Amino acid sequence: MKAVFDPDRVLAGGLAAIRDQFHVPQAFPPEVIAAAQAAARRVPADHADRTALPLVTLDPASSTDLDQAFAIESSGSDLLLRYAIADVAWFVDDGDPIDREAWRRGATLYLPDGKAGLYPPILSEGAASLLPDGPRPAVLFTVRVAPDGEARLDAAERALVRSRAKLAYETADDADLPPQFAELARRIALAEARRGAARVDPPEQEVVRRADGGYALAFRARHASEARNAALSLATNLAIAELLQAHHTGLFRVMAEPDAAAVSRLRNTARALGIAWPEAQSLVAFRTGLDPADPHQAALMLAIRRAGQGASYAPWHEGTVPWHAAVAAPYVHATAPLRRLADRYVIQAALAIMAGRPVPEIVAQAFERLPKVMGRADAVSGQIDRAVVDLAEAVMLAGREGEEFAAIVTDVDVRGARMQLADLPVVTRIDAPGTAPGTPIRVRLVDADPTDRAVRFEAIGVAS
C-alpha cells in the first residue's frame, strides 16, 4: 500500500469534483428521512423467532451496512447454511418516499471519503442492518449443500434474528467462525469446478482512507475468509436462481461467454505470456487453473475478464435460459438488499414461491423495469471507481515528471498497450508498438495532472 502524498489536499478536492461530475447524491430529501425515521420504529409482526440461531456477520471491518448473517450446521452428510438477509421490504413500502428515492439511486455508491447509500443510514446502518446490538427482522434462507457442493433451497421465511458477533475479514480466524465454514466453501468450490465455472478475480486497484485522514493507493488484498464468505452468497444466489427459473419468474444476472474471435486473441495472449494452453482445452477448463498470485497469469486473468461482454440484468422470459458464463449457471443477486435495489424484489419473489403464493404483480413488473435502473447504477459505479483511481495515480505521481520506472505490459488490445508499474500500484495505457503482454519495459513519466486525472508515460526501451 502506497500513501498518497497530498499536502495541498488536491485529492480531497478532486473527490469533490468527482461527486459533482457524476451527480453523487449528497443527502436524502427531508421527506425520505422522515419516512425512514418512521419505518425504523416498526415492530416486526410476521417474523418467526429465530434469535436462538448462532448467527455471525463477516464483512470489512469498517462496514456498518450489514446485509448478511449466517450459521452452519450438519444434517447427515449435508451442511445446512442458515443465511439471514436484511429484510428491507419490511421497512420500505412500494411507492413510498424511501422506495421512490431508491429507484432513483439504484445502488449504493462508494468513494474513499464516504458513500452515497441506497437507503438512509437510520435504516441501512441501523434498524435494517444485521448489527450485533439487538434483534433484527430478516429473511432467513435455509440452503442445503450436499457433499458434492450442489445447493438447493430448503426453506425461506421472515424471521427475527440476533447476530452474535460482527467479524471482520482482516481479523477473523477459524475459532471465530462456524466449524463447517471452510468445508462449506470447499464444497461450493468443488461444484464450481465441476460446472466449469471461473470467477476471475485479478488484482484490483483501490483508494482507501487511512486512520490519519490521508489516502493510500493499493492493490486490494483478498483475505481467505472473504473468498469463503463469497461462497456462502454464491450458494444462496444459485439456489434462489434455480427456484425462480423453475417457476418462470425472476431477475437474473447474466453474462455471455467470449466469442470465438476473443478466445483466439486470448490464446495469443497466453502464448506471449509464456503460459501453456493446450489446443484441446476449452477456455472454461483453462481459466479455472490460473493463479492470480503469478503476475503473468494475473495479467491473463484480467484479459479474460475484459474479453467477455460484461454482466447485466435480465428478467425471465419464455424460451431463454438466463445464463451467467462466469458462474456457469443461472444466477441472481439476492444477498445485498441494503446496497442493491434489485435484491429486494428477488427476495420477495423467493419468499412468495416458498410460501406457495403467486409472485406479487408489483414484483413481476419490477423485474421488467430493473435492468435499465441497475445497468445505469453499475455504469456510474464503474466510472466513479476508475475516476478515483485515476485521480490518486495523478496525485501520487505529480512532481515526479522525468523519472524513469520499471513496468510490465499486462494487456494489448485495439487501443494499444496497458502497463503496470513494478513498484507502484499504477496501471495505465502507453504507446509501446510491438510489445506483447508480459513484456518488461522501462518508461518515463511525461506528465501527471491531478486536475484532468491523467498520467502520461513514454516507453524508453524493453527491460533486460
Side-chain angles (χ1 to χ4, degrees):
M1 184 175 291
K2 299 290 185 179
V4 180
F5 185 61
D6 187 25
D8 298 322
R9 295 183 57 79
V10 174
L11 195 146
L15 291 174
I18 289 171
R19 288 176 175 274
D20 289 342
Q21 177 184 346
F22 293 101
H23 308 290
V24 177
Q26 297 298 309
F28 286 90
E31 65 273 17
V32 176
I33 295 296
Q37 289 171 339
R41 294 192 292 269
R42 291 182 180 176
V43 178
D46 299 322
H47 293 69
D49 186 351
R50 301 290 183 251
T51 53
L53 285 172
L55 299 166
V56 297
T57 61
L58 181 60
D59 297 272
S62 60
S63 294
T64 51
D65 48 351
L66 308 184
D67 291 284
Q68 313 128 10
F70 63 91
I72 305 169
E73 62 188 75
S74 298
S75 176
S77 61
D78 295 340
L79 293 177
L80 292 183
L81 169 62
R82 309 286 192 183
Y83 212 47
I85 308 297
D87 190 0
V88 176
W90 173 252
F91 296 98
V92 180
D93 295 325
D94 293 304
D96 75 5
I98 310 169
D99 179 56
R100 293 196 300 271
E101 183 67 16
W103 276 87
R104 280 191 285 271
R105 297 184 179 218
T108 294
L109 297 175
Y110 293 90
L111 289 92
D113 59 348
K115 64 192 174 192
L118 177 62
Y119 299 105
I122 193 172
L123 295 179
S124 62
E125 300 177 52
S129 178
L130 303 183
L131 294 160
D133 58 358
R136 291 290 194 280
V139 175
L140 183 64
F141 291 105
T142 300
V143 181
R144 181 176 293 272
V145 181
D148 65 358
E150 289 301 313
R152 74 169 189 268
L153 192 60
D154 264 14
E157 63 178 351
R158 279 186 146 158
L160 197 63
V161 302
R162 183 191 298 271
S163 171
R164 298 293 192 270
K166 180 181 182 294
L167 304 179
Y169 296 137
E170 301 89 333
T171 57
D173 58 34
D174 290 344
D176 300 320
L177 293 157
Q180 306 95 332
F181 182 60
E183 170 61 15
L184 181 58
R186 187 196 69 81
R187 292 185 182 191
I188 300 305
L190 185 68
E192 283 190 278
R194 190 171 57 255
R195 293 195 310 271
R199 287 176 292 141
V200 180
D201 293 312
E204 294 182 355
Q205 291 168 288
E206 67 172 355
V207 179
V208 295
R209 192 162 198 168
R210 301 185 305 166
D212 63 3
Y215 296 92
L217 176 64
F219 285 108
R220 183 176 176 274
R222 188 168 174 84
H223 302 274
S225 62
E226 181 178 2
R228 290 171 177 171
N229 195 42
L232 309 190
S233 286
L234 175 65
T236 305
N237 287 327
L238 286 170
I240 294 172
E242 182 179 44
L243 174 78
L244 297 185
Q245 186 185 16
H247 286 79
H248 298 179
T249 188
L251 180 73
F252 295 83
R253 190 71 165 158
V254 295
M255 175 189 284
E257 286 279 9
D259 61 21
V263 172
S264 179
R265 289 193 296 270
L266 288 170
R267 285 189 176 276
N268 290 333
T269 301
R271 279 192 288 271
L273 289 167
I275 300 172
W277 182 352
E279 283 298 324
Q281 188 177 35
S282 68
L283 171 61
V284 169
F286 170 68
R287 66 188 176 189
T288 58
L290 295 175
D291 179 5
D294 179 283
H296 284 186
Q297 294 186 46
L300 185 55
M301 292 170 74
L302 188 61
I304 291 171
R305 171 180 282 184
R306 290 184 179 135
Q309 298 180 24
S312 60
Y313 290 88
W316 184 89
H317 283 157
E318 185 71 46
T320 301
V321 176
W323 195 253
H324 194 294
V327 178
Y331 179 68
V332 298
H333 276 165
T335 57
L338 291 174
R339 291 170 278 174
R340 290 188 303 245
L341 175 63
D343 297 42
R344 169 158 53 105
Y345 294 92
V346 172
I347 290 169
Q348 289 182 82
L351 267 177
I353 292 170
M354 292 299 288
R357 301 190 305 267
V359 173
E361 183 61 27
I362 197 165
V363 172
Q365 292 173 358
F367 289 155
E368 299 295 328
R369 298 167 52 208
L370 279 164
K372 181 177 180 180
V373 174
M374 299 308 297
R376 183 176 65 245
D378 280 350
V380 171
S381 178
Q383 291 165 356
I384 288 174
D385 288 347
R386 186 64 251 173
V388 167
V389 170
D390 288 345
L391 171 64
E393 289 180 342
V395 171
M396 174 183 284
L397 291 168
R400 300 181 67 174
E401 289 83 355
E403 286 190 38
E404 296 181 9
F405 300 84
I408 187 168
V409 175
T410 60
D411 190 18
V412 177
D413 59 23
V414 294
R415 293 180 294 168
R418 185 183 298 271
M419 69 167 192
Q420 176 185 319
L421 297 188
D423 299 318
L424 291 173
V426 172
V427 178
T428 189
R429 290 194 171 274
I430 189 167
D431 184 15
T435 59
T439 303
I441 58 176
R442 296 289 301 176
V443 299
R444 181 184 295 114
L445 178 63
V446 176
D447 186 40
D449 186 345
T451 302
D452 289 339
R453 303 194 292 268
V455 298
R456 185 163 59 92
F457 289 86
E458 62 180 359
I460 56 177
V462 176
S464 56

